[in-house]
Amino acid sequence: MDIKALHRQMAQYNAWKQQLDRRLGAFTQWSDKHQLVTRDALRSLERARTLLKGEHFTLACVGEFSRGKTELINALLYTDGQPRLLPSQAGRTTMCPTEIFYDNAQPANCVRLLPIETRRSAASLQSFKRIPQNWFTIQFDSNDSESVAEAISQVSANKLVSRAEAVKLGFNAADLEPDEDTGLVQVPTWRHALINLKHPLLQEGLRIVDTPGLNALGNEPELTLKTLPEAQAILFLLAADSGVSASDMTIWRDHIAGLRDENCTAVLALLNKIDTLWDELTPPGQVAANIEAVRNQTARQLQLAPEHVLPLSAKQALVAKTCKRSSALLRSNFPQLEQRLAECIIRSQQQIIGHRVVSNSLDMVVSTYNSLSRRIDEAEQELHTLHAADDHELEQALNKQREKIRASHHRYHKQSLSLRTSQRMLDNQRTALIAPIAPASLQRLTEETHEAMEQSWTTVGLSRAIGGFFDDVDTSINHLLREIERANQVMGSIYERPEYSLDASSIAGQHQLNITRQRRQLRNLQQNADRFRRSLNSVLTSKTVLIKRFVGTLVKEVKSLFDELNQSIDHWLAEALAPLTHHNQYQKQLLEHHMLRLGELRNKNHSRHEKLQTLEASVAQLNSARDDLAPLFTEITTTPSPAKHESADIVSLQSAREAQII
């Protein structure tokens, strides 16, 4: 049994990204050598390569305390000689949200810890991530198990504080059990942990987020508003013996279901600790039937496909991996989880290759090769005609070729001027596109919301202020969508012009401005805001700082999305006509190359043999360029295209309310 399936898939994923980056880099080098690609095209290539380098596969583990998230991560990150990375002894549990990753730009093998006292501030977690001096750093030797354990055990550290202090830090007083002797209560020592670990799986681009229980999700807005939405996959851990509890359902409803439905995030529900159901006094068939019954009931409760609910034992998987027991590993069902995660990784590949800037770059390689091949075929036919002509006919044929090339060049020159006019027409849409999401407009809206909240002394007023903020955001997005529709119509009309001899309908459709992903994110933010509004009655008296932090984080995330929309619009305006522009400029350059060679033949002192040699050299030069590009063209065109995924429909916030989606 291969116990490193996930490692292998992540390695393939990383190798695939590197291969894609190598292909784009190879095309850039080819263009530098042959000088046949425009600067705009090269900028698009660079954007695609930047996108690839910034992509990670983030896996979030979510569930209540004692569901086995820590042991699951230990099983996923198992390596020979280091069976347990995170502390998982009885009575020890991950107390603070923890991110595990590898970043070669930061010190390797260290734990960075943010004190719990920073919760008194309304500043967001993201803000603190930009201030290194607020974090405590503990370095460890990855080859020394004791050093690793001592450093990483800090994620389970807690401290005693007064009940009043705990409430100020955002903890629910009802959940705190005071010590009988001192009356103090236990709270986590740290608010957040960042573990930069040089580990084979993490080096391939995997990032793991461990979120400890409902309390952490409720008190750290960014986990819900930013961290979870950015994950490619979520593992929702449940107890195999009981299925979905009330607190589990709260986590599912408030933090996961919306991401599955709106963001199309891959979600797997894990019925962990099935080993607690293994009973030697019960027939194996009955044990399996009991587990299957819980699995089917869980699938119905969460409205998941049964194959997305996996019973397993993370603890037994770790033991089996450590002791190299293949049969025990199979019984733990862990290989099935690794297979599901491998499928999620493949899906992430499909999403990357479907990104417009990446697909544009790959299409550019294919278009360049095909154009070059057509020009070579034409040149070889012309050369064949010239070889068959006598001296007098040769001069006439050369003159005809000059006129033909000149006419073609003139046609592409006119097309180039037309494209410049079209680009200006498209650029004129920018003002209308940017207006609904202009930074100044959002700043004014934010200030009005804060003012309304400051003046409100009731939950109704606070709720109205948050609701009003999103109503205005919704209005802005609706205005933007109308402008996007107009801009796409303008772009479509450009592609449909007869002088552009391309498949207008399919290419124009691929290059439309689309903000579906950002709308999903906004919908998710709005859903969380609405849930928060409904909870204001229970949190207002004791969590004033939390309210400010939540709203502050919420507004920052909306601002970040608006900034991203502004950037997306500018990128779209610059790249919407890229296929037309690249095709036009490339054809012009090929024709200019040929015109130059034909111009050299005007010298009457050149013999017939010399003239034909000059043309043959020109064709040979084009053939050399094509030969250099052929391996890359073959790689790209023979790689199977990933199937596209269906995406959830996106509706306006107001429509969602009216349909009682929220």
PDB file of all heavy atoms in Angstrom, residues 45-73:
ATOM      1  N   LEU A  45       1.934  37.413 -20.721  1.00  0.00           N
ATOM      2  CA  LEU A  45       2.670  36.215 -20.319  1.00  0.00           C
ATOM      3  C   LEU A  45       3.228  36.360 -18.908  1.00  0.00           C
ATOM      4  O   LEU A  45       3.170  35.436 -18.094  1.00  0.00           O
ATOM      5  CB  LEU A  45       3.821  35.954 -21.295  1.00  0.00           C
ATOM      6  CG  LEU A  45       3.467  35.431 -22.688  1.00  0.00           C
ATOM      7  CD1 LEU A  45       4.693  35.460 -23.589  1.00  0.00           C
ATOM      8  CD2 LEU A  45       2.904  34.024 -22.612  1.00  0.00           C
ATOM      9  N   GLU A  46       3.763  37.534 -18.605  1.00  0.00           N
ATOM     10  CA  GLU A  46       4.340  37.768 -17.280  1.00  0.00           C
ATOM     11  C   GLU A  46       3.266  37.732 -16.198  1.00  0.00           C
ATOM     12  O   GLU A  46       3.488  37.211 -15.103  1.00  0.00           O
ATOM     13  CB  GLU A  46       5.072  39.113 -17.262  1.00  0.00           C
ATOM     14  CG  GLU A  46       5.975  39.312 -16.054  1.00  0.00           C
ATOM     15  CD  GLU A  46       7.015  38.199 -15.907  1.00  0.00           C
ATOM     16  OE1 GLU A  46       7.563  37.752 -16.926  1.00  0.00           O
ATOM     17  OE2 GLU A  46       7.248  37.778 -14.748  1.00  0.00           O
ATOM     18  N   ARG A  47       2.089  38.260 -16.494  1.00  0.00           N
ATOM     19  CA  ARG A  47       0.973  38.208 -15.538  1.00  0.00           C
ATOM     20  C   ARG A  47       0.575  36.767 -15.261  1.00  0.00           C
ATOM     21  O   ARG A  47       0.293  36.390 -14.120  1.00  0.00           O
ATOM     22  CB  ARG A  47      -0.239  38.972 -16.088  1.00  0.00           C
ATOM     23  CG  ARG A  47      -0.253  40.457 -15.750  1.00  0.00           C
ATOM     24  CD  ARG A  47      -1.656  41.005 -15.865  1.00  0.00           C
ATOM     25  NE  ARG A  47      -2.527  40.398 -14.889  1.00  0.00           N
ATOM     26  CZ  ARG A  47      -3.821  40.151 -15.079  1.00  0.00           C
ATOM     27  NH1 ARG A  47      -4.393  40.433 -16.220  1.00  0.00           N
ATOM     28  NH2 ARG A  47      -4.545  39.622 -14.121  1.00  0.00           N
ATOM     29  N   ALA A  48       0.532  35.963 -16.305  1.00  0.00           N
ATOM     30  CA  ALA A  48       0.168  34.558 -16.133  1.00  0.00           C
ATOM     31  C   ALA A  48       1.188  33.839 -15.255  1.00  0.00           C
ATOM     32  O   ALA A  48       0.823  33.049 -14.375  1.00  0.00           O
ATOM     33  CB  ALA A  48       0.063  33.875 -17.498  1.00  0.00           C
ATOM     34  N   ARG A  49       2.465  34.123 -15.454  1.00  0.00           N
ATOM     35  CA  ARG A  49       3.508  33.473 -14.661  1.00  0.00           C
ATOM     36  C   ARG A  49       3.454  33.928 -13.201  1.00  0.00           C
ATOM     37  O   ARG A  49       3.671  33.133 -12.276  1.00  0.00           O
ATOM     38  CB  ARG A  49       4.886  33.772 -15.264  1.00  0.00           C
ATOM     39  CG  ARG A  49       5.048  33.254 -16.693  1.00  0.00           C
ATOM     40  CD  ARG A  49       6.465  33.423 -17.207  1.00  0.00           C
ATOM     41  NE  ARG A  49       7.377  32.509 -16.535  1.00  0.00           N
ATOM     42  CZ  ARG A  49       8.688  32.510 -16.697  1.00  0.00           C
ATOM     43  NH1 ARG A  49       9.249  33.408 -17.503  1.00  0.00           N
ATOM     44  NH2 ARG A  49       9.454  31.645 -16.064  1.00  0.00           N
ATOM     45  N   THR A  50       3.136  35.194 -12.980  1.00  0.00           N
ATOM     46  CA  THR A  50       2.986  35.706 -11.613  1.00  0.00           C
ATOM     47  C   THR A  50       1.831  35.015 -10.915  1.00  0.00           C
ATOM     48  O   THR A  50       1.909  34.656  -9.730  1.00  0.00           O
ATOM     49  CB  THR A  50       2.758  37.229 -11.634  1.00  0.00           C
ATOM     50  OG1 THR A  50       3.877  37.858 -12.264  1.00  0.00           O
ATOM     51  CG2 THR A  50       2.598  37.772 -10.228  1.00  0.00           C
ATOM     52  N   LEU A  51       0.725  34.820 -11.637  1.00  0.00           N
ATOM     53  CA  LEU A  51      -0.436  34.132 -11.074  1.00  0.00           C
ATOM     54  C   LEU A  51      -0.067  32.713 -10.646  1.00  0.00           C
ATOM     55  O   LEU A  51      -0.425  32.268  -9.549  1.00  0.00           O
ATOM     56  CB  LEU A  51      -1.566  34.091 -12.112  1.00  0.00           C
ATOM     57  CG  LEU A  51      -2.802  33.282 -11.727  1.00  0.00           C
ATOM     58  CD1 LEU A  51      -3.610  34.032 -10.682  1.00  0.00           C
ATOM     59  CD2 LEU A  51      -3.668  32.990 -12.943  1.00  0.00           C
ATOM     60  N   LEU A  52       0.660  32.015 -11.479  1.00  0.00           N
ATOM     61  CA  LEU A  52       1.037  30.637 -11.168  1.00  0.00           C
ATOM     62  C   LEU A  52       1.909  30.560  -9.921  1.00  0.00           C
ATOM     63  O   LEU A  52       1.744  29.677  -9.080  1.00  0.00           O
ATOM     64  CB  LEU A  52       1.784  30.018 -12.354  1.00  0.00           C
ATOM     65  CG  LEU A  52       0.945  29.673 -13.588  1.00  0.00           C
ATOM     66  CD1 LEU A  52       1.848  29.266 -14.735  1.00  0.00           C
ATOM     67  CD2 LEU A  52      -0.047  28.571 -13.272  1.00  0.00           C
ATOM     68  N   LYS A  53       2.836  31.501  -9.795  1.00  0.00           N
ATOM     69  CA  LYS A  53       3.761  31.463  -8.652  1.00  0.00           C
ATOM     70  C   LYS A  53       3.047  31.775  -7.343  1.00  0.00           C
ATOM     71  O   LYS A  53       3.496  31.371  -6.271  1.00  0.00           O
ATOM     72  CB  LYS A  53       4.908  32.450  -8.882  1.00  0.00           C
ATOM     73  CG  LYS A  53       5.861  32.001  -9.986  1.00  0.00           C
ATOM     74  CD  LYS A  53       6.863  33.082 -10.354  1.00  0.00           C
ATOM     75  CE  LYS A  53       7.749  32.638 -11.519  1.00  0.00           C
ATOM     76  NZ  LYS A  53       8.624  33.715 -12.008  1.00  0.00           N
ATOM     77  N   GLY A  54       1.930  32.492  -7.408  1.00  0.00           N
ATOM     78  CA  GLY A  54       1.220  32.868  -6.188  1.00  0.00           C
ATOM     79  C   GLY A  54       0.157  31.885  -5.757  1.00  0.00           C
ATOM     80  O   GLY A  54      -0.483  32.064  -4.717  1.00  0.00           O
ATOM     81  N   GLU A  55      -0.072  30.820  -6.529  1.00  0.00           N
ATOM     82  CA  GLU A  55      -1.131  29.873  -6.226  1.00  0.00           C
ATOM     83  C   GLU A  55      -0.682  28.836  -5.191  1.00  0.00           C
ATOM     84  O   GLU A  55       0.380  28.257  -5.301  1.00  0.00           O
ATOM     85  CB  GLU A  55      -1.580  29.160  -7.506  1.00  0.00           C
ATOM     86  CG  GLU A  55      -2.488  30.002  -8.380  1.00  0.00           C
ATOM     87  CD  GLU A  55      -3.843  30.256  -7.756  1.00  0.00           C
ATOM     88  OE1 GLU A  55      -4.377  29.371  -7.064  1.00  0.00           O
ATOM     89  OE2 GLU A  55      -4.369  31.366  -7.946  1.00  0.00           O
ATOM     90  N   HIS A  56      -1.539  28.622  -4.183  1.00  0.00           N
ATOM     91  CA  HIS A  56      -1.324  27.563  -3.196  1.00  0.00           C
ATOM     92  C   HIS A  56      -2.598  26.728  -3.113  1.00  0.00           C
ATOM     93  O   HIS A  56      -3.666  27.162  -3.538  1.00  0.00           O
ATOM     94  CB  HIS A  56      -1.018  28.138  -1.810  1.00  0.00           C
ATOM     95  CG  HIS A  56       0.232  28.952  -1.749  1.00  0.00           C
ATOM     96  ND1 HIS A  56       1.483  28.394  -1.635  1.00  0.00           N
ATOM     97  CD2 HIS A  56       0.430  30.295  -1.794  1.00  0.00           C
ATOM     98  CE1 HIS A  56       2.398  29.351  -1.608  1.00  0.00           C
ATOM     99  NE2 HIS A  56       1.781  30.515  -1.711  1.00  0.00           N
ATOM    100  N   PHE A  57      -2.465  25.537  -2.560  1.00  0.00           N
ATOM    101  CA  PHE A  57      -3.660  24.731  -2.281  1.00  0.00           C
ATOM    102  C   PHE A  57      -3.886  24.771  -0.780  1.00  0.00           C
ATOM    103  O   PHE A  57      -3.104  24.204  -0.014  1.00  0.00           O
ATOM    104  CB  PHE A  57      -3.477  23.289  -2.773  1.00  0.00           C
ATOM    105  CG  PHE A  57      -4.716  22.457  -2.596  1.00  0.00           C
ATOM    106  CD1 PHE A  57      -5.726  22.491  -3.545  1.00  0.00           C
ATOM    107  CD2 PHE A  57      -4.888  21.662  -1.479  1.00  0.00           C
ATOM    108  CE1 PHE A  57      -6.883  21.755  -3.387  1.00  0.00           C
ATOM    109  CE2 PHE A  57      -6.036  20.914  -1.308  1.00  0.00           C
ATOM    110  CZ  PHE A  57      -7.032  20.959  -2.266  1.00  0.00           C
ATOM    111  N   THR A  58      -4.931  25.471  -0.364  1.00  0.00           N
ATOM    112  CA  THR A  58      -5.211  25.657   1.062  1.00  0.00           C
ATOM    113  C   THR A  58      -6.301  24.700   1.509  1.00  0.00           C
ATOM    114  O   THR A  58      -7.388  24.642   0.920  1.00  0.00           O
ATOM    115  CB  THR A  58      -5.650  27.102   1.362  1.00  0.00           C
ATOM    116  OG1 THR A  58      -4.598  27.996   0.965  1.00  0.00           O
ATOM    117  CG2 THR A  58      -5.932  27.292   2.840  1.00  0.00           C
ATOM    118  N   LEU A  59      -6.000  23.958   2.568  1.00  0.00           N
ATOM    119  CA  LEU A  59      -6.918  22.989   3.144  1.00  0.00           C
ATOM    120  C   LEU A  59      -7.267  23.446   4.557  1.00  0.00           C
ATOM    121  O   LEU A  59      -6.388  23.596   5.399  1.00  0.00           O
ATOM    122  CB  LEU A  59      -6.249  21.608   3.178  1.00  0.00           C
ATOM    123  CG  LEU A  59      -7.026  20.460   3.814  1.00  0.00           C
ATOM    124  CD1 LEU A  59      -8.272  20.142   3.005  1.00  0.00           C
ATOM    125  CD2 LEU A  59      -6.128  19.220   3.925  1.00  0.00           C
ATOM    126  N   ALA A  60      -8.555  23.705   4.804  1.00  0.00           N
ATOM    127  CA  ALA A  60      -8.996  24.164   6.124  1.00  0.00           C
ATOM    128  C   ALA A  60      -9.673  23.020   6.863  1.00  0.00           C
ATOM    129  O   ALA A  60     -10.538  22.331   6.312  1.00  0.00           O
ATOM    130  CB  ALA A  60      -9.955  25.342   5.984  1.00  0.00           C
ATOM    131  N   CYS A  61      -9.262  22.817   8.117  1.00  0.00           N
ATOM    132  CA  CYS A  61      -9.877  21.798   8.973  1.00  0.00           C
ATOM    133  C   CYS A  61     -10.779  22.513   9.975  1.00  0.00           C
ATOM    134  O   CYS A  61     -10.307  23.346  10.759  1.00  0.00           O
ATOM    135  CB  CYS A  61      -8.806  20.995   9.701  1.00  0.00           C
ATOM    136  SG  CYS A  61      -7.703  20.095   8.584  1.00  0.00           S
ATOM    137  N   VAL A  62     -12.063  22.181   9.930  1.00  0.00           N
ATOM    138  CA  VAL A  62     -13.051  22.886  10.747  1.00  0.00           C
ATOM    139  C   VAL A  62     -13.843  21.868  11.548  1.00  0.00           C
ATOM    140  O   VAL A  62     -14.191  20.797  11.042  1.00  0.00           O
ATOM    141  CB  VAL A  62     -14.010  23.710   9.856  1.00  0.00           C
ATOM    142  CG1 VAL A  62     -15.007  24.481  10.711  1.00  0.00           C
ATOM    143  CG2 VAL A  62     -13.233  24.661   8.960  1.00  0.00           C
ATOM    144  N   GLY A  63     -14.149  22.208  12.791  1.00  0.00           N
ATOM    145  CA  GLY A  63     -14.957  21.330  13.627  1.00  0.00           C
ATOM    146  C   GLY A  63     -14.852  21.744  15.077  1.00  0.00           C
ATOM    147  O   GLY A  63     -13.984  22.534  15.459  1.00  0.00           O
ATOM    148  N   GLU A  64     -15.741  21.216  15.888  1.00  0.00           N
ATOM    149  CA  GLU A  64     -15.716  21.537  17.309  1.00  0.00           C
ATOM    150  C   GLU A  64     -14.476  20.935  17.980  1.00  0.00           C
ATOM    151  O   GLU A  64     -13.748  20.131  17.382  1.00  0.00           O
ATOM    152  CB  GLU A  64     -16.991  21.003  17.981  1.00  0.00           C
ATOM    153  CG  GLU A  64     -18.138  22.006  17.966  1.00  0.00           C
ATOM    154  CD  GLU A  64     -17.858  23.222  18.847  1.00  0.00           C
ATOM    155  OE1 GLU A  64     -16.674  23.525  19.170  1.00  0.00           O
ATOM    156  OE2 GLU A  64     -18.821  23.895  19.221  1.00  0.00           O
ATOM    157  N   PHE A  65     -14.264  21.315  19.236  1.00  0.00           N
ATOM    158  CA  PHE A  65     -13.151  20.768  20.004  1.00  0.00           C
ATOM    159  C   PHE A  65     -13.282  19.243  20.107  1.00  0.00           C
ATOM    160  O   PHE A  65     -14.392  18.695  20.124  1.00  0.00           O
ATOM    161  CB  PHE A  65     -13.126  21.364  21.419  1.00  0.00           C
ATOM    162  CG  PHE A  65     -12.674  22.797  21.452  1.00  0.00           C
ATOM    163  CD1 PHE A  65     -13.593  23.819  21.642  1.00  0.00           C
ATOM    164  CD2 PHE A  65     -11.344  23.133  21.292  1.00  0.00           C
ATOM    165  CE1 PHE A  65     -13.186  25.147  21.679  1.00  0.00           C
ATOM    166  CE2 PHE A  65     -10.927  24.454  21.325  1.00  0.00           C
ATOM    167  CZ  PHE A  65     -11.854  25.454  21.516  1.00  0.00           C
ATOM    168  N   SER A  66     -12.137  18.584  20.166  1.00  0.00           N
ATOM    169  CA  SER A  66     -12.063  17.134  20.389  1.00  0.00           C
ATOM    170  C   SER A  66     -12.686  16.318  19.269  1.00  0.00           C
ATOM    171  O   SER A  66     -13.164  15.209  19.493  1.00  0.00           O
ATOM    172  CB  SER A  66     -12.740  16.769  21.729  1.00  0.00           C
ATOM    173  OG  SER A  66     -12.107  17.429  22.790  1.00  0.00           O
ATOM    174  N   ARG A  67     -12.684  16.862  18.055  1.00  0.00           N
ATOM    175  CA  ARG A  67     -13.176  16.083  16.919  1.00  0.00           C
ATOM    176  C   ARG A  67     -12.022  15.382  16.190  1.00  0.00           C
ATOM    177  O   ARG A  67     -12.244  14.652  15.245  1.00  0.00           O
ATOM    178  CB  ARG A  67     -13.918  16.987  15.927  1.00  0.00           C
ATOM    179  CG  ARG A  67     -15.212  17.577  16.448  1.00  0.00           C
ATOM    180  CD  ARG A  67     -16.294  16.511  16.581  1.00  0.00           C
ATOM    181  NE  ARG A  67     -17.586  17.104  16.875  1.00  0.00           N
ATOM    182  CZ  ARG A  67     -18.133  17.179  18.083  1.00  0.00           C
ATOM    183  NH1 ARG A  67     -17.455  16.681  19.119  1.00  0.00           N
ATOM    184  NH2 ARG A  67     -19.311  17.725  18.263  1.00  0.00           N
ATOM    185  N   GLY A  68     -10.789  15.649  16.628  1.00  0.00           N
ATOM    186  CA  GLY A  68      -9.652  14.954  16.037  1.00  0.00           C
ATOM    187  C   GLY A  68      -8.987  15.690  14.894  1.00  0.00           C
ATOM    188  O   GLY A  68      -8.271  15.085  14.086  1.00  0.00           O
ATOM    189  N   LYS A  69      -9.182  17.020  14.825  1.00  0.00           N
ATOM    190  CA  LYS A  69      -8.564  17.792  13.734  1.00  0.00           C
ATOM    191  C   LYS A  69      -7.044  17.719  13.810  1.00  0.00           C
ATOM    192  O   LYS A  69      -6.365  17.584  12.787  1.00  0.00           O
ATOM    193  CB  LYS A  69      -9.031  19.261  13.796  1.00  0.00           C
ATOM    194  CG  LYS A  69     -10.510  19.464  13.582  1.00  0.00           C
ATOM    195  CD  LYS A  69     -10.874  20.921  13.480  1.00  0.00           C
ATOM    196  CE  LYS A  69     -10.577  21.705  14.750  1.00  0.00           C
ATOM    197  NZ  LYS A  69     -11.359  21.210  15.909  1.00  0.00           N
ATOM    198  N   THR A  70      -6.516  17.826  15.022  1.00  0.00           N
ATOM    199  CA  THR A  70      -5.060  17.822  15.186  1.00  0.00           C
ATOM    200  C   THR A  70      -4.454  16.495  14.735  1.00  0.00           C
ATOM    201  O   THR A  70      -3.445  16.466  14.011  1.00  0.00           O
ATOM    202  CB  THR A  70      -4.701  18.095  16.659  1.00  0.00           C
ATOM    203  OG1 THR A  70      -5.180  19.388  17.023  1.00  0.00           O
ATOM    204  CG2 THR A  70      -3.196  18.049  16.861  1.00  0.00           C
ATOM    205  N   GLU A  71      -5.071  15.390  15.131  1.00  0.00           N
ATOM    206  CA  GLU A  71      -4.535  14.090  14.735  1.00  0.00           C
ATOM    207  C   GLU A  71      -4.687  13.869  13.228  1.00  0.00           C
ATOM    208  O   GLU A  71      -3.840  13.219  12.592  1.00  0.00           O
ATOM    209  CB  GLU A  71      -5.245  12.978  15.507  1.00  0.00           C
ATOM    210  CG  GLU A  71      -4.430  11.703  15.629  1.00  0.00           C
ATOM    211  CD  GLU A  71      -3.232  11.852  16.576  1.00  0.00           C
ATOM    212  OE1 GLU A  71      -2.436  12.808  16.391  1.00  0.00           O
ATOM    213  OE2 GLU A  71      -3.077  11.016  17.485  1.00  0.00           O
ATOM    214  N   LEU A  72      -5.727  14.433  12.652  1.00  0.00           N
ATOM    215  CA  LEU A  72      -5.901  14.356  11.203  1.00  0.00           C
ATOM    216  C   LEU A  72      -4.735  15.044  10.490  1.00  0.00           C
ATOM    217  O   LEU A  72      -4.163  14.506   9.535  1.00  0.00           O
ATOM    218  CB  LEU A  72      -7.222  15.009  10.797  1.00  0.00           C
ATOM    219  CG  LEU A  72      -7.471  15.094   9.294  1.00  0.00           C
ATOM    220  CD1 LEU A  72      -7.863  13.738   8.736  1.00  0.00           C
ATOM    221  CD2 LEU A  72      -8.545  16.120   8.971  1.00  0.00           C
ATOM    222  N   ILE A  73      -4.374  16.233  10.975  1.00  0.00           N
ATOM    223  CA  ILE A  73      -3.252  16.962  10.374  1.00  0.00           C
ATOM    224  C   ILE A  73      -1.961  16.184  10.575  1.00  0.00           C
ATOM    225  O   ILE A  73      -1.114  16.106   9.672  1.00  0.00           O
ATOM    226  CB  ILE A  73      -3.146  18.375  10.981  1.00  0.00           C
ATOM    227  CG1 ILE A  73      -4.387  19.201  10.596  1.00  0.00           C
ATOM    228  CG2 ILE A  73      -1.875  19.082  10.515  1.00  0.00           C
ATOM    229  CD1 ILE A  73      -4.484  20.538  11.292  1.00  0.00           C
TER     230      ILE A  73
END
